[in-house]
Amino acid sequence: MRENKQGKCKYIFVTGGVLSGVGKGITAASIGAILKAKGYKVTMQKCDPYLNVDAGLLNPVEHGECFVTADGVETDLDLGHYERFLDFETSRYSITLSGAIFKELIEKERRGGFRGKTVQLIPHFTNLVQEKIAKASENSDIHIVEIGGTIGDYEGLSFIEAIRLFANKVGLSNCLYISVVYVPWINTSKEFKTKPAQNALKDLRGFGIIPDIVCTRTERPAPKEIQDKIAGFAGIDTEAVVNLPDIKSVYDVPFNVLKSGVLEILNEFIGDDSEPDMARWKEFSRRRNKEYKRTVKVGLVAKYVGNEDTYICVTEALKAAAAWEQVNLELVWVNAEELEGEGKIKELEGLDGIVVPGGFGVRGVEGKILAADYALEHNMPYLGLCLGMQVAVIAACRKAGVKTANSEEFGASEEEKNNVIYIMPGQKGKESTGASMRLGSYPAVLEKGSKVAKIYGETDIVERHRHRYEVNRKFIREIEKGGLKITGTSPDGKLVEFVEALGCDFFIATQAHPEFRSRPLEVHPLFKAFIKACKK
Ligand code: GLN
């Protein structure tokens, strides 16, 4: 690849037209996966026009899971896709929200950092966005930037201007612009309609960007005339307009992209026509799309049932683990709130395993405690993630006779001496602020010979966290009496990171969120081991 002013990085900018939610992020990530399979170091960044400073306070029902980067930033689930497709660790530089840019500009302005100058969207906002892009791409061969929303959105204009200007900085030959546009199929007249896409491309051109590639997203394969028509109206090569019809699994999108003819354009852009090595993707796709004789039924005991986006890293990790373990996965959504009633526990009978994922707030907690208790009693495979570990500890302590055991988060009080999960003294009083959370990667030391240590294959590990409450070590005797053993702690031994039940074949719970590190091609060992246990 040619050197450029920025170093040796090439940039791909992905914008969307007509509608949002048509898979712009997956398309971008799939292109990234292909380039990675050609041997490049590829990174990704999302620029989102929201005025939020980060995603930590966004409602998970509306926005899906809050993804946490290794360096402790709360972002949205797009970054999870990036990590899964590109197998790299995102960071604070992988997400750029308008709110964060404004905050930085305004703070600088208040400090007098602009020396009396007028502060404006152009150039100050657009310059800072460009700085963020340069920073995010520092160690990459190819850096992909996805712009959230659709072209023409009032709030996204400064980002579009920033990526146009970026080409002046690094040279147009080092920038590739991709537009992902939706082309609707009208069932009554049995035809595709290209007008919205034409308009979106006209808008993009109006902002000074002529795309190098246009990906038409359709519900069904669109004939070549459709691409030709769009190319004609947009004034670009017909080969540069490709069709990406819907496909069953997002992990097959890279193959759709390869089929579409995009690779030739990418090859020309980077000056390398080597074949990407997609062997492992192919193997994963084959295993994932296959029907197996054996089905494992995994109950996900949660508050937001049925909304996969809320627990997407967990469900993706389970699905990938099942594919590599060659079983079908039947995810059973168990509404934790409904488990609380008499006799409702029946819902758990017939499952092959239980996962209690992370969560906040009291709703459904008693049901989750019951689920952990059920798994302990019935030797049912159990995987507890964050809150899933806290409820397991509560269940064990109740079993050991601390009848009112609970978490301080859910109304346990000090006087009753029942807060087996508590706020550590240093964090007291900060409960309702975003700042008090333990966020991002932290090391843990696993006990030699423990089941978790065997599963990880090592005793010094690092996992990402997002929580405020901790296990109260005062209750260690009760925890053990209730059937659990602490088998992983922070290196100083103060924080409980892993517990397991010695009396069960597979009962492991962690204060961390291992799901954030699971990849389709490299499934996290805990999820693999869990599915293996469910198979038995
Ligand atoms: N609500 C719990 C805490 O803050 C668990 C958080 C989680 O599951 N991510 O500690």
Side-chain angles (χ1 to χ4, degrees):
M1 275 189 294
R2 266 165 299 158
E3 298 281 313
N4 63 29
K5 289 183 228 164
Q6 195 66 31
K8 60 171 175 40
C9 190
K10 292 265 185 186
Y11 295 85
I12 298 179
F13 297 102
V14 184
T15 58
V18 182
L19 291 181
S20 64
V22 291
K24 170 165 42 91
I26 297 290
T27 305
S30 297
I31 287 172
I34 293 168
L35 292 168
K36 171 141 199 215
K38 280 168 76 84
Y40 292 101
K41 182 155 191 271
V42 189
T43 47
M44 274 188 87
Q45 175 180 11
K46 173 99 186 248
C47 290
D48 235 330
Y50 296 133
L51 289 181
N52 301 71
V53 171
D54 64 33
L57 301 174
L58 291 176
N59 180 349
V61 178
E62 210 178 296
H63 278 271
E65 174 192 79
C66 175
F67 186 80
V68 181
T69 62
D71 59 352
V73 183
E74 297 175 286
T75 73
D76 71 8
L77 50 77
D78 291 310
L79 270 69
H81 289 308
Y82 298 173
E83 292 209 9
R84 280 188 288 279
F85 276 81
L86 273 71
D87 188 20
F88 82 111
E89 255 188 8
T90 54
S91 72
R92 60 188 61 251
Y93 302 114
S94 313
I95 180 90
T96 306
L97 292 175
S98 284
I101 298 283
F102 279 128
K103 186 167 177 271
E104 198 173 324
L105 288 175
I106 289 168
E107 279 169 3
K108 184 172 172 190
E109 190 272 339
R110 290 293 80 191
R111 283 196 311 272
F114 290 101
R115 298 175 178 274
K117 284 220 174 67
T118 316
V119 186
Q120 294 180 286
L121 283 176
I122 301 170
H124 300 101
F125 188 102
T126 48
N127 279 350
L128 190 52
V129 171
Q130 291 179 72
E131 275 173 38
K132 300 288 174 198
I133 295 172
K135 183 79 198 163
S137 63
E138 250 169 17
N139 300 309
S140 344
D141 299 325
I142 299 163
H143 184 61
I144 303 176
V145 182
E146 179 192 353
I147 307 293
T150 39
I151 197 73
D153 288 349
Y154 190 65
E155 50 186 16
L157 293 181
S158 312
F159 283 111
I160 303 293
E161 177 63 2
I163 62 169
R164 184 188 71 81
L165 286 165
F166 199 81
N168 293 346
K169 209 191 217 115
V170 299
L172 191 57
S173 64
N174 291 313
C175 295
L176 186 90
Y177 295 90
I178 300 181
S179 175
V180 180
V181 292
Y182 182 63
V183 177
W185 165 260
I186 306 298
N187 202 32
T188 41
S189 56
K190 302 273 182 278
E191 58 179 341
F192 288 102
K193 286 290 186 189
T194 61
K195 184 72 82 195
Q198 289 171 35
N199 286 337
L201 293 168
K202 198 164 75 188
D203 286 346
L204 190 59
R205 180 192 286 266
F207 299 125
I209 295 175
I210 299 173
D212 301 282
I213 299 174
V214 175
C215 299
T216 57
R217 286 279 301 111
T218 51
E219 275 168 58
R220 53 178 78 194
K224 189 164 180 304
E225 300 94 82
I226 296 301
Q227 275 66 247
D228 291 349
K229 191 169 171 190
I230 290 171
F233 276 104
I236 47 182
D237 284 351
T238 52
E239 294 78 47
V241 184
V242 302
N243 183 219
L244 299 176
D246 281 358
I247 197 161
K248 211 171 95 206
S249 158
V250 293
Y251 299 111
D252 288 331
V253 175
F255 298 109
N256 245 4
V257 170
L258 282 173
K259 254 193 280 175
S260 73
V262 163
L263 185 61
E264 286 69 42
I265 302 170
L266 293 174
N267 283 349
E268 197 175 319
F269 173 56
I270 56 176
D272 167 8
D273 56 10
S274 66
E275 275 300 308
D277 176 7
M278 299 296 285
R280 208 162 154 75
W281 279 106
K282 267 191 201 136
E283 180 60 13
F284 175 61
S285 167
R286 191 184 68 77
R287 290 193 186 212
R288 219 193 124 130
N289 293 325
K290 200 168 150 183
E291 275 291 317
Y292 298 97
K293 274 193 219 100
R294 175 85 167 95
T295 297
V296 298
K297 275 172 87 168
V298 173
L300 200 65
V301 182
K303 184 161 62 174
Y304 306 115
V305 280
N307 184 353
E308 275 208 29
D309 275 359
T310 313
Y311 308 100
I312 188 163
C313 285
V314 177
T315 55
E316 290 304 297
L318 290 169
K319 286 179 196 169
W324 289 110
E325 286 302 318
Q326 315 210 54
V327 287
N328 308 316
L329 175 70
E330 184 185 337
L331 264 183
V332 182
W333 292 88
V334 181
N335 186 336
E337 283 180 273
E338 286 170 10
L339 268 189
E340 290 168 16
E342 279 289 307
K344 294 280 175 54
I345 209 81
K346 274 206 169 57
E347 274 199 58
L348 302 176
E349 286 167 14
L351 294 175
D352 295 310
I354 291 174
V355 176
V356 177
F360 291 82
V362 70
R363 259 176 55 206
V365 157
E366 284 301 320
K368 293 175 191 174
I369 297 170
L370 278 173
D373 181 68
Y374 182 93
L376 267 176
E377 286 288 318
H378 295 82
N379 188 16
M380 182 178 274
Y382 179 89
L383 182 60
L385 307 167
C386 206
L387 182 61
M389 181 186 89
Q390 298 177 352
V391 295
V393 168
I394 294 170
C397 289
R398 288 187 185 176
K399 234 189 235 315
V402 193
K403 287 285 171 250
T404 50
N406 213 327
S407 163
E408 213 176 324
E409 184 180 5
F410 313 127
S413 76
E414 206 131 16
E415 296 80 69
E416 287 178 81
K417 306 235 178 302
N418 57 6
N419 47 342
V420 299
I421 307 293
Y422 76 148
I423 283 267
M424 301 230 355
Q427 292 292 337
K428 265 240 151 9
K430 299 188 205 156
E431 291 89 325
S432 57
T433 69
S436 65
M437 277 225 259
R438 192 160 168 250
L439 286 168
S441 288
Y442 285 93
V445 179
L446 307 178
E447 189 184 289
K448 262 204 193 92
S450 63
K451 192 166 267 165
V452 270
K454 279 184 200 137
I455 290 170
Y456 273 92
E458 54 193 335
T459 51
D460 292 316
I461 60 132
V462 174
E463 289 290 1
R464 294 185 208 171
H465 292 68
R466 181 181 186 233
H467 65 111
R468 196 168 277 134
Y469 297 84
E470 304 284 350
V471 172
N472 187 343
R473 301 206 60 154
K474 238 173 40 199
F475 290 90
I476 198 158
R477 221 174 310 132
E478 286 79 2
I479 293 170
E480 286 182 357
K481 198 172 154 213
L484 295 182
K485 184 165 188 230
I486 295 166
T487 51
T489 64
S490 54
D492 63 5
K494 287 192 180 140
L495 307 177
V496 173
E497 291 282 8
F498 285 86
V499 299
E500 55 190 86
L502 300 181
C504 297
D505 295 330
F506 188 103
F507 189 109
I508 292 177
T510 171
Q511 189 60 77
H513 286 282
E515 68 272 21
F516 291 146
R517 288 204 308 119
S518 191
R519 313 276 189 253
L521 305 188
E522 216 57 68
V523 180
H524 192 287
L526 273 180
F527 284 86
K528 243 184 164 164
F530 171 71
I531 292 290
K532 223 182 219 159
C534 293
K535 229 161 97 174
K536 279 196 185 134

Short mmCIF file of all heavy atoms in Angstrom, two decimals, residues 357-361 385-388 390 407 409-410 421 437 465-470 511 513, ligand 1:
data_model
loop_
_atom_site.label_atom_id
_atom_site.label_comp_id
_atom_site.label_asym_id
_atom_site.label_seq_id
_atom_site.Cartn_x
_atom_site.Cartn_y
_atom_site.Cartn_z
N PRO A 357 -28.16 -13.43 32.87
CA PRO A 357 -27.26 -12.38 32.40
C PRO A 357 -27.23 -11.17 33.34
O PRO A 357 -27.90 -11.18 34.37
CB PRO A 357 -27.88 -12.00 31.05
CG PRO A 357 -29.33 -12.25 31.22
CD PRO A 357 -29.47 -13.39 32.20
N GLY A 358 -26.53 -10.14 32.96
CA GLY A 358 -26.43 -8.93 33.77
C GLY A 358 -27.75 -8.21 33.86
O GLY A 358 -28.67 -8.45 33.07
N GLY A 359 -27.86 -7.33 34.83
CA GLY A 359 -29.08 -6.56 34.97
C GLY A 359 -28.97 -5.55 36.09
O GLY A 359 -28.08 -5.63 36.93
N PHE A 360 -29.88 -4.62 36.05
CA PHE A 360 -29.91 -3.56 37.06
C PHE A 360 -31.33 -3.42 37.58
O PHE A 360 -32.28 -3.60 36.84
CB PHE A 360 -29.46 -2.23 36.45
CG PHE A 360 -28.00 -2.22 36.12
CD1 PHE A 360 -27.55 -2.77 34.93
CD2 PHE A 360 -27.08 -1.69 37.00
CE1 PHE A 360 -26.19 -2.79 34.61
CE2 PHE A 360 -25.73 -1.69 36.70
CZ PHE A 360 -25.29 -2.24 35.51
N GLY A 361 -31.49 -3.08 38.86
CA GLY A 361 -32.80 -2.80 39.41
C GLY A 361 -33.47 -4.06 39.93
O GLY A 361 -33.15 -5.19 39.53
N LEU A 385 -23.77 -14.32 34.87
CA LEU A 385 -22.96 -13.22 34.35
C LEU A 385 -23.29 -11.94 35.12
O LEU A 385 -24.39 -11.43 35.03
CB LEU A 385 -23.25 -13.03 32.86
CG LEU A 385 -23.12 -14.30 32.00
CD1 LEU A 385 -23.73 -14.08 30.61
CD2 LEU A 385 -21.66 -14.73 31.88
N CYS A 386 -22.35 -11.49 35.89
CA CYS A 386 -22.49 -10.25 36.66
C CYS A 386 -23.65 -10.37 37.66
O CYS A 386 -23.50 -11.04 38.66
CB CYS A 386 -22.64 -9.05 35.73
SG CYS A 386 -22.09 -7.54 36.51
N LEU A 387 -24.81 -9.78 37.36
CA LEU A 387 -25.94 -9.97 38.29
C LEU A 387 -26.21 -11.46 38.48
O LEU A 387 -26.65 -11.89 39.55
CB LEU A 387 -27.19 -9.26 37.74
CG LEU A 387 -28.43 -9.34 38.62
CD1 LEU A 387 -28.20 -8.69 39.99
CD2 LEU A 387 -29.64 -8.71 37.94
N GLY A 388 -25.93 -12.24 37.46
CA GLY A 388 -26.11 -13.69 37.53
C GLY A 388 -25.23 -14.33 38.60
O GLY A 388 -25.56 -15.40 39.12
N GLN A 390 -24.28 -12.46 41.36
CA GLN A 390 -24.80 -11.90 42.62
C GLN A 390 -26.02 -12.69 43.10
O GLN A 390 -26.14 -12.99 44.29
CB GLN A 390 -25.12 -10.42 42.42
CG GLN A 390 -23.87 -9.60 42.05
CD GLN A 390 -24.15 -8.13 41.78
OE1 GLN A 390 -25.30 -7.70 41.71
NE2 GLN A 390 -23.09 -7.35 41.62
N SER A 407 -29.16 -8.13 48.06
CA SER A 407 -28.16 -7.14 47.66
C SER A 407 -28.61 -5.78 48.14
O SER A 407 -29.82 -5.50 48.16
CB SER A 407 -28.02 -7.12 46.14
OG SER A 407 -27.37 -5.94 45.73
N GLU A 409 -28.51 -3.28 46.57
CA GLU A 409 -29.22 -2.67 45.45
C GLU A 409 -30.72 -2.91 45.53
O GLU A 409 -31.52 -2.12 45.05
CB GLU A 409 -28.67 -3.24 44.13
CG GLU A 409 -29.26 -2.61 42.89
CD GLU A 409 -28.70 -3.18 41.58
OE1 GLU A 409 -27.92 -4.14 41.61
OE2 GLU A 409 -29.08 -2.65 40.52
N PHE A 410 -31.09 -4.02 46.14
CA PHE A 410 -32.52 -4.40 46.14
C PHE A 410 -33.15 -4.25 47.52
O PHE A 410 -34.08 -4.96 47.88
CB PHE A 410 -32.69 -5.83 45.63
CG PHE A 410 -31.91 -6.07 44.38
CD1 PHE A 410 -31.02 -7.12 44.27
CD2 PHE A 410 -32.04 -5.20 43.30
CE1 PHE A 410 -30.28 -7.32 43.12
CE2 PHE A 410 -31.30 -5.39 42.14
CZ PHE A 410 -30.42 -6.45 42.05
N ILE A 421 -24.49 -8.84 49.09
CA ILE A 421 -23.93 -8.08 47.97
C ILE A 421 -24.04 -6.62 48.38
O ILE A 421 -25.13 -6.19 48.78
CB ILE A 421 -24.74 -8.31 46.66
CG1 ILE A 421 -24.88 -9.80 46.35
CG2 ILE A 421 -24.12 -7.55 45.50
CD1 ILE A 421 -23.60 -10.52 45.98
N MET A 437 -19.34 3.28 38.77
CA MET A 437 -19.29 1.89 38.30
C MET A 437 -17.88 1.41 38.03
O MET A 437 -17.01 2.18 37.63
CB MET A 437 -20.12 1.77 37.04
CG MET A 437 -21.56 1.58 37.40
SD MET A 437 -22.27 0.31 36.44
CE MET A 437 -23.09 1.35 35.29
N HIS A 465 -15.85 -5.47 32.89
CA HIS A 465 -16.83 -5.33 33.97
C HIS A 465 -17.77 -4.16 33.73
O HIS A 465 -17.43 -3.22 33.03
CB HIS A 465 -16.11 -5.11 35.30
CG HIS A 465 -15.34 -6.30 35.78
ND1 HIS A 465 -14.22 -6.74 35.12
CD2 HIS A 465 -15.53 -7.13 36.83
CE1 HIS A 465 -13.74 -7.81 35.75
NE2 HIS A 465 -14.52 -8.08 36.79
N ARG A 466 -18.93 -4.26 34.36
CA ARG A 466 -19.85 -3.12 34.41
C ARG A 466 -20.78 -3.34 35.59
O ARG A 466 -21.85 -3.93 35.45
CB ARG A 466 -20.67 -3.03 33.11
CG ARG A 466 -21.61 -1.84 33.09
CD ARG A 466 -22.43 -1.79 31.82
NE ARG A 466 -23.21 -0.57 31.77
CZ ARG A 466 -24.53 -0.55 31.56
NH1 ARG A 466 -25.20 -1.66 31.35
NH2 ARG A 466 -25.16 0.58 31.52
N HIS A 467 -20.35 -2.93 36.74
CA HIS A 467 -21.18 -3.13 37.93
C HIS A 467 -20.76 -2.20 39.05
O HIS A 467 -19.71 -1.57 38.99
CB HIS A 467 -21.10 -4.59 38.40
CG HIS A 467 -19.73 -4.95 38.88
ND1 HIS A 467 -19.44 -5.21 40.18
CD2 HIS A 467 -18.56 -5.07 38.21
CE1 HIS A 467 -18.14 -5.48 40.30
NE2 HIS A 467 -17.59 -5.41 39.11
N ARG A 468 -21.63 -2.13 40.02
CA ARG A 468 -21.43 -1.21 41.12
C ARG A 468 -21.28 -1.98 42.43
O ARG A 468 -20.59 -1.56 43.33
CB ARG A 468 -22.69 -0.34 41.16
CG ARG A 468 -22.61 0.90 41.93
CD ARG A 468 -23.84 1.76 41.61
NE ARG A 468 -23.66 2.53 40.39
CZ ARG A 468 -24.56 2.64 39.42
NH1 ARG A 468 -25.72 2.00 39.49
NH2 ARG A 468 -24.32 3.39 38.38
N TYR A 469 -21.94 -3.10 42.54
CA TYR A 469 -22.00 -3.85 43.80
C TYR A 469 -21.01 -5.02 43.78
O TYR A 469 -20.64 -5.51 42.71
CB TYR A 469 -23.42 -4.35 44.04
CG TYR A 469 -24.40 -3.21 44.20
CD1 TYR A 469 -24.97 -2.59 43.08
CD2 TYR A 469 -24.72 -2.71 45.47
CE1 TYR A 469 -25.83 -1.52 43.22
CE2 TYR A 469 -25.58 -1.63 45.60
CZ TYR A 469 -26.13 -1.04 44.47
OH TYR A 469 -26.98 0.03 44.60
N GLU A 470 -20.62 -5.44 44.97
CA GLU A 470 -19.61 -6.50 45.11
C GLU A 470 -20.10 -7.53 46.13
O GLU A 470 -20.96 -7.23 46.97
CB GLU A 470 -18.29 -5.93 45.64
CG GLU A 470 -17.69 -4.79 44.82
CD GLU A 470 -17.02 -5.25 43.54
OE1 GLU A 470 -16.85 -6.48 43.34
OE2 GLU A 470 -16.68 -4.38 42.71
N GLN A 511 -18.45 -12.17 38.21
CA GLN A 511 -18.84 -10.76 38.34
C GLN A 511 -18.58 -10.01 37.02
O GLN A 511 -19.07 -8.92 36.82
CB GLN A 511 -18.03 -10.13 39.49
CG GLN A 511 -18.46 -8.75 39.90
CD GLN A 511 -19.90 -8.71 40.36
OE1 GLN A 511 -20.24 -9.10 41.45
NE2 GLN A 511 -20.79 -8.23 39.50
N HIS A 513 -18.20 -9.73 32.61
CA HIS A 513 -19.03 -9.95 31.42
C HIS A 513 -18.18 -10.61 30.33
O HIS A 513 -17.79 -9.95 29.36
CB HIS A 513 -19.56 -8.62 30.88
CG HIS A 513 -20.66 -8.03 31.70
ND1 HIS A 513 -21.95 -8.47 31.64
CD2 HIS A 513 -20.65 -7.04 32.62
CE1 HIS A 513 -22.71 -7.76 32.46
NE2 HIS A 513 -21.94 -6.89 33.08
N1 GLN B 1 -26.74 -4.37 39.20
C1 GLN B 1 -25.57 -5.07 39.55
C2 GLN B 1 -24.45 -4.13 39.97
O1 GLN B 1 -24.48 -2.98 39.67
C3 GLN B 1 -25.12 -5.96 38.42
C4 GLN B 1 -24.74 -5.22 37.18
C5 GLN B 1 -24.67 -6.07 35.95
O2 GLN B 1 -25.21 -7.18 35.93
N2 GLN B 1 -24.05 -5.59 34.91
O3 GLN B 1 -23.50 -4.55 40.58
#
